[in-house]
């Protein structure tokens, strides 16, 4: 006796592919890296602009800040320039996420068995590769300005990892903005509104004591300042590491969890 299976039942019985977060992330990261390699502006943004900003801040503010902090400005400046470069990387990630929305890539991914987190992590992974290139370029330039990684091998590795962790957090948050806004003009306005206050109202380029008394609590305790504190402590041979590194990791870990959740939700709601 032969049993006939209806086409609808056959489709229902067929095994459905299960999305693999890590495989999907690796494939999408490779795609974004290929796209970046074809854009000269992407390389310029990763290499040339950070060097220009480092040189400008060192020349313009070096003498003034050295009098206040009592030490070389190069040691104080480089962590700030690295964090600024990571924010520029995040702004690039936001633009790329908008291009994926407007170009139809997100529509295609949503029609496939792709993890909703993979498009976010794939773009973050590609941007972290560019961020690593930026750090590799800035460290020798910082050495010319007097910056030294004096905390030893482990502290130096921690310096790089925290800088990349910061990049991952801000990239994820800005990608969420890109998915939610869906327009390049809107994303540029929103990210600039976030970028400049948090960068300028921080201890990145000037010490906390240089700000008005009523503003100093915010300056000292906002995430960018706490990350800069951790980077400076890791670069200092004599600094205590436990407190600044722990505070920075708590800020970054909490921010990453929130940003990934928000970005995944924005991806599902895009279009």
């Amino acid at each position: 006796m032969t049993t006939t299976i209806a086409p609808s039942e056959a489709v229902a019985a067929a095994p459905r592919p299960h999305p693999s977060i890590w495989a999907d992330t690796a494939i999408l990261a490779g795609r974004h890296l290929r796209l970046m390699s074809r854009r000269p502006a992407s390389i310029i943004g990763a290499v040339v602009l950070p060097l220009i900003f480092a040189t400008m801040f060192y020349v313009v503010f070096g003498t003034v800040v050295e009098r206040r902090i009592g030490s070389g400005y190069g040691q104080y400046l480089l962590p700030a320039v690295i964090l600024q470069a990571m924010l520029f990387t995040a702004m690039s990630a936001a633009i790329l996420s908008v291009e994926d929305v407007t170009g139809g890539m997100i529509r295609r991914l949503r029609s496939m068995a792709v993890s909703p987190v993979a498009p976010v992590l794939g773009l973050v992974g590609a941007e972290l590769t560019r961020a690593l290139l930026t750090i590799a370029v800035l460290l020798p330039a910082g050495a010319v300005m007097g910056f030294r990684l004096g905390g030893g091998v482990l502290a130096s590795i921690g310096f790089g990892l925290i800088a990349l962790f910061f990049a991952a957090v801000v990239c994820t948050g800005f990608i969420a903005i890109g998915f939610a806004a869906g327009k390049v003009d809107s994303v540029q306005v929103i990210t600039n509104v976030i970028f400049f206050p948090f960068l300028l109202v921080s201890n990145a380029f000037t010490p906390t004591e240089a700000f008005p008394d009523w503003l100093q609590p915010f300056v000292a305790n906002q995430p960018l300042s706490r990350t800069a504190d951790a980077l400076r402590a890791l670069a200092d041979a004599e600094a205590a590491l436990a407190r600044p590194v722990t505070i920075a990791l708590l800020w970054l870990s909490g921010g990453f969890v929130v940003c990934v959740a928000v970005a995944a939700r924005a991806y599902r709601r895009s279009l």
Side-chain angles (χ1 to χ4, degrees), residues 25 29 32-33 36 120-131 171 175:
T25 297
H32 285 296
L33 285 173
M36 289 179 188
V120 179
L121 297 183
L123 182 50
V124 171
E127 291 291 351
L128 287 183
T129 303
R130 195 172 74 151
C171 281
I175 288 169

Side-chain angles (χ1 to χ4, degrees), residues 203-225:
N203 65 10
F205 295 104
T206 56
T208 303
E209 295 76 16
F211 290 87
D213 292 341
W214 61 270
L215 192 56
Q216 289 183 16
F218 174 80
V219 172
N221 294 290
Q222 62 126 309
L224 194 147
S225 293

Side-chain angles (χ1 to χ4, degrees), residues 99-271:
E99 291 179 354
D100 279 349
V101 172
T102 57
M105 184 63 185
I106 297 302
R107 188 185 301 275
R108 291 176 57 191
L109 291 176
R110 289 179 60 186
S111 67
M112 302 165 63
V114 176
S115 167
V117 179
V120 179
L121 297 183
L123 182 50
V124 171
E127 291 291 351
L128 287 183
T129 303
R130 195 172 74 151
L132 186 61
L133 173 63
T134 301
I135 295 172
V137 170
L138 282 175
L139 286 177
V144 175
M145 300 174 189
F147 177 80
R148 298 291 184 272
L149 285 170
V153 176
L154 292 179
S156 299
I157 294 173
F159 181 95
L161 291 178
I162 286 184
L164 291 175
F165 195 6
F166 177 83
V169 174
V170 292
C171 281
T172 307
F174 280 24
I175 288 169
I177 294 171
F179 285 151
K183 295 181 180 179
V184 173
D185 292 343
S186 300
V187 167
Q188 289 176 334
V189 171
I190 295 170
T191 54
N192 279 319
V193 167
I194 297 172
F195 173 89
F196 285 105
F198 272 90
L199 181 66
L200 298 179
V201 188
S202 73
N203 65 10
F205 295 104
T206 56
T208 303
E209 295 76 16
F211 290 87
D213 292 341
W214 61 270
L215 192 56
Q216 289 183 16
F218 174 80
V219 172
N221 294 290
Q222 62 126 309
L224 194 147
S225 293
R226 290 300 192 180
T227 307
D229 290 341
L231 293 180
R232 289 174 181 133
L234 288 165
D236 190 342
E238 301 178 356
L241 299 180
R243 187 172 187 274
V245 172
T246 300
I247 294 174
L249 288 176
L250 288 174
W251 265 116
L252 296 176
S253 298
F256 187 67
V257 171
V258 172
C259 288
V260 167
V262 172
R265 179 179 176 82
Y267 163 77
R268 288 192 294 264
R269 295 172 64 90
S270 61
L271 299 179

